[in-house]
Amino acid sequence: MPSTVKDKAAKSVVKRKRSENGEPIKKRRKSEAGEEKEDLASQIQNLESQINESKKHYNNIAALIEYAEKQNEDPKTAIAAAEALCRVFVRLLASGSLVKRKDASEKDATVAKWLRDRLTDHHKALVAMFKSTKLATQALVLAMALLKAEAQYLEGKDEAVFHWPLFNAIISALLTSPVEEVRDEFCDKFIDEYDDIRFYTFEGIKDFLTERESVDEELQNTVFDFLLKMEDVPESSEDLEDFYIEQPSKKKHPLRSLSQHKKRAQEAWLALMHLGLSKEQRKKVLDVMASSIAPWFIKPELLMDFLTDCYNTGGSISLLALSGVFYLIQERNLDYPSFYQKLYSLLDTDILHSKYRSRFFRLLDTFLGSSHLPAVLVASFIKRLARLALNAPPSAIVVIVPWFYNLFKKHPLTTFMMHRVPRTKEEKELIEKEGVLDPFLPDEEDPMETHAIDSSLWEIVQLQSHYHPNVATIAKIISEQFTKQSYNLEDFLDHSYGSLIDAEMSKEVKKAPVIEFMIPKHIFTKADPGTEQTDSPLVSLWDFGSS
């Protein structure tokens, strides 16, 4: 059907809308947007150049700040403006334009005050960028560069003066930022590299926590993870030699004192712990207490109440607190009454199934390693673990037996438990009556009163018939001659079901197992009559007929 004149006119209008001057509208819009961004970039450069040329263009700083504050609308323009502002303020700081001078005229003092106010606005724009995934890392670099320039020039003194307002704003922005990468960047590039930044970071975290009315659990976890990244404790004041800001000239300056560094770290950790920790947070703190927290304390005894309360709680909390308590006993001579009685109480049915089992055995080996301990006490621990081993996983048993071996070598008086025969008439009558002689009192809480030293390790004999060949083999070392000096527990601590299975699967089969040559067609029923097949042994042994 031929097109009408009206249709042709309508098509021509649509065509004009889609294209002008032969260029599609979408492409034209993209090009216009690109040109607009190029114009903004050149405009920012022009504003910066004018500021550098003359003081009469200082108002351009306010315009650049407006661009920098638009990080949500136009991130590229915002970061370009922030970089320009950083360069401008570094030049102004170096020239002394922001210094408060006593001999300055009223006009110069007004300009200096105005510039300082604009510098504060720039601070706010920078730290606001910490919430942006795209801009956070770049904003951190700019903020730290500005911090260095302010420390050197803002006060107009010969020696650098650390600028707290900006650094506190940086720490607050880092801890509240949803961008984990910016915190990692700060730790890698600044905290790990510079002792003064680590010093002031501890102080900034303490101020951040004490000034807030409430801190939710998520923020507590963020602060904890952040503090945990500062785990490398300097050994002496001579190690404090890397400074981001100019090194202080005074030898008694806090930055050059290791005790002052530790004091700041101690205050930061205590500020976090005083907030009140949940059970999971306590576990996280206790997990690294001896390795990453307590070494920072100049007064580790401040942790005594916290650690002893956790140690008395029971369960996994007690297991984790054990290393911290041991640290205080070793380093600060903590007097913990009934320590071994509490340690003995931790040996319950869950201990050999716990994921902290390896850590516990390392500490237990240390606690019972002294040859000055009473044999009665050591015997109680041996007997209690032997009883628990009867229901323990194979990966735990392969640790227990070598540990027994080592204890027998260190405490020879306990070797009587390995093979005990009835000596008196009463003992013989008791065996005839009950079938076993075991005076051990499993429910006794005091390890000095369990009578374990008068018992025997019949449990190990039972383990020699264990279903797992590795367990059965290793249990037999107690029945053999003690020719080996000791076993290295580290060779056994990290075993699991998976590692034991892998060890079995990787073994070379010396003799092929016997298998049935004929594949039976029937297992639970009789063979078909008239065939050469014989009935399965199951058929003759059990009756599978319907009842």
Side-chain angles (χ1 to χ4, degrees):
M1 187 174 179
S3 301
T4 63
V5 175
K6 190 176 181 180
D7 292 337
K8 290 180 179 179
K11 288 180 179 178
S12 64
V13 170
V14 173
K15 192 174 182 179
R16 282 201 305 274
K17 286 183 179 179
R18 289 181 179 175
S19 175
E20 292 182 7
N21 300 325
E23 182 183 4
I25 289 178
K26 287 186 177 180
K27 290 185 178 179
R28 180 168 55 80
R29 286 177 179 172
K30 287 183 179 179
S31 64
E32 286 177 357
E35 289 174 3
E36 186 179 349
K37 288 185 177 180
E38 289 179 4
D39 291 342
L40 284 174
S42 61
Q43 189 176 352
I44 290 171
Q45 290 179 356
N46 291 334
L47 290 173
E48 181 185 356
S49 300
Q50 290 173 2
I51 294 170
N52 296 332
E53 289 172 2
S54 174
K55 292 181 179 180
K56 66 181 182 180
H57 296 298
Y58 277 180
N59 283 330
N60 291 354
I61 294 174
L64 287 173
I65 290 174
E66 288 183 7
Y67 284 127
E69 290 174 343
K70 296 179 180 179
Q71 62 266 19
N72 295 328
E73 303 168 12
D74 191 353
K76 289 186 178 180
T77 302
I79 199 65
E83 290 173 351
L85 282 167
C86 187
R87 291 190 294 266
V88 166
F89 278 114
V90 168
R91 291 192 191 99
L92 291 174
L93 286 164
S95 64
S97 300
L98 280 76
V99 177
K100 296 178 181 179
R101 303 185 187 278
K102 294 181 181 179
D103 56 348
S105 64
E106 184 178 351
K107 181 180 178 182
D108 290 341
T110 302
V111 172
K113 182 179 182 305
W114 185 87
L115 288 174
R116 279 175 172 259
D117 291 340
R118 301 293 73 75
L119 180 59
T120 302
D121 293 339
H122 181 37
H123 293 169
K124 294 177 182 178
L126 275 179
V127 296
M129 293 179 183
F130 282 33
K131 296 180 181 179
S132 170
T133 306
K134 297 178 180 179
L135 306 179
T137 303
Q138 293 171 276
L140 172 65
V141 174
L142 294 175
M144 293 302 293
L146 206 56
L147 177 73
K148 190 170 188 176
E150 290 181 23
Q152 291 175 331
Y153 306 116
L154 187 59
E155 300 302 326
K157 297 182 179 180
D158 295 334
E159 189 172 0
V161 179
F162 195 80
H163 193 233
W164 263 110
L166 174 56
F167 192 72
N168 267 338
I170 292 173
I171 293 299
S172 179
L174 282 171
L175 294 176
T176 55
S177 172
V179 185
E180 181 66 28
E181 290 76 11
V182 71
R183 286 188 285 274
D184 293 336
E185 181 78 6
F186 183 71
C187 291
D188 294 340
K189 298 291 179 64
F190 298 101
I191 290 180
D192 292 345
E193 296 293 329
Y194 304 106
D195 296 314
D196 55 342
I197 296 298
R198 183 183 60 232
F199 177 93
Y200 290 121
T201 299
F202 278 129
E203 193 160 351
I205 291 174
K206 182 206 69 172
D207 294 342
F208 174 81
L209 294 175
T210 54
E211 290 171 1
R212 297 177 74 90
E213 294 181 359
S214 62
V215 180
D216 57 37
E217 186 172 345
E218 183 179 355
L219 186 54
Q220 285 186 20
N221 290 332
T222 301
V223 175
F224 173 78
D225 294 337
F226 195 59
L227 281 171
L228 202 57
K229 293 174 182 178
M230 296 179 277
E231 58 182 354
D232 296 330
V233 184
E235 295 183 0
S236 65
S237 297
E238 285 72 23
D239 295 334
L240 304 173
E241 53 186 16
D242 298 318
F243 293 88
Y244 184 68
I245 311 299
E246 182 182 332
Q247 184 176 357
S249 57
K250 295 181 181 179
K251 291 185 177 181
K252 294 185 178 180
H253 194 281
L255 281 175
R256 303 180 69 173
S257 169
L258 179 58
S259 62
Q260 290 297 322
H261 280 252
K262 288 189 172 185
K263 182 181 178 183
R264 266 58 176 192
Q266 174 180 288
E267 291 173 347
W269 276 111
L270 288 176
L272 176 63
M273 294 167 69
H274 286 162
L275 294 174
L277 305 177
S278 65
K279 184 177 180 180
E280 291 303 317
Q281 288 172 334
R282 283 195 169 204
K283 285 184 177 181
K284 291 173 69 176
V285 169
L286 292 170
D287 193 30
V288 295
M289 176 62 72
S291 60
S292 302
I293 300 178
W296 276 113
F297 277 58
I298 53 175
K299 293 182 178 180
E301 52 270 22
L302 293 174
L303 296 169
M304 285 182 181
D305 291 340
F306 174 76
L307 286 172
T308 51
D309 287 345
C310 291
Y311 189 47
N312 292 331
T313 301
S316 58
I317 295 288
S318 293
L319 290 180
L320 290 171
L322 189 58
S323 57
V325 171
F326 173 64
Y327 179 87
L328 292 182
I329 292 174
Q330 189 178 43
E331 298 294 329
R332 294 295 179 182
N333 296 321
L334 170 66
D335 183 18
Y336 189 94
S338 305
F339 174 77
Y340 282 96
Q341 183 173 340
K342 179 62 183 177
L343 183 64
Y344 184 72
S345 69
L346 296 180
L347 300 178
D348 55 19
T349 54
D350 297 327
I351 187 65
L352 298 181
H353 298 268
S354 171
K355 65 179 180 179
Y356 306 112
R357 182 182 64 220
S358 297
R359 172 189 291 196
F360 177 73
F361 270 104
R362 287 187 180 97
L363 291 171
L364 194 61
D365 187 48
T366 302
F367 295 144
L368 298 179
S370 174
S371 58
H372 298 289
L373 291 174
V376 174
L377 176 73
V378 178
S380 294
F381 281 87
I382 293 175
K383 182 64 179 179
R384 181 75 165 256
L385 277 171
R387 187 67 59 86
L388 293 174
L390 293 174
N391 296 310
S395 54
I397 302 174
V398 296
V399 180
I400 292 174
V401 178
W403 185 68
F404 284 173
Y405 184 100
N406 293 348
L407 284 182
F408 287 139
K409 296 287 284 189
K410 292 177 183 177
H411 305 276
L413 290 178
T414 60
T415 55
F416 293 105
M417 300 171 65
M418 287 189 291
H419 182 68
R420 185 178 298 281
V421 295
R423 297 187 300 271
T424 63
K425 183 179 179 181
E426 291 78 8
E427 290 178 350
K428 293 179 180 180
E429 290 177 352
L430 185 62
I431 290 178
E432 291 177 358
K433 182 179 179 181
E434 299 184 5
V436 65
L437 175 64
D438 195 346
F440 174 64
L441 304 176
D443 296 327
E444 174 60 49
E445 296 180 355
D446 187 353
M448 297 296 291
E449 302 294 336
T450 62
H451 302 295
I453 194 69
D454 299 323
S455 179
S456 62
L457 293 181
W458 57 266
E459 297 90 349
I460 301 299
V461 178
Q462 297 299 315
L463 292 177
Q464 292 174 358
S465 302
H466 197 274
Y467 73 88
H468 197 291
N470 288 1
V471 173
T473 301
I474 204 166
K476 292 176 182 177
I477 65 174
I478 301 298
S479 301
E480 299 171 355
Q481 289 187 350
F482 280 31
T483 56
K484 191 177 181 69
Q485 182 62 32
S486 64
Y487 283 92
N488 183 9
L489 281 186
E490 293 298 327
D491 296 338
F492 305 93
L493 285 174
D494 296 325
H495 277 301
S496 63
Y497 277 115
S499 64
L500 291 173
I501 290 175
D502 291 340
E504 284 296 311
M505 296 295 290
S506 60
K507 283 183 178 179
E508 184 179 352
V509 180
K510 296 181 180 180
K511 184 179 180 182
V514 178
I515 60 174
E516 188 172 0
F517 180 74
M518 296 292 294
I519 301 176
K521 292 184 178 181
H522 303 275
I523 298 177
F524 300 108
T525 59
K526 293 184 177 182
D528 296 332
T531 62
E532 296 181 357
Q533 291 185 346
T534 58
D535 292 340
S536 168
L538 292 175
V539 176
S540 58
L541 293 174
W542 287 278
D543 182 11
F544 294 98
S546 59
S547 56

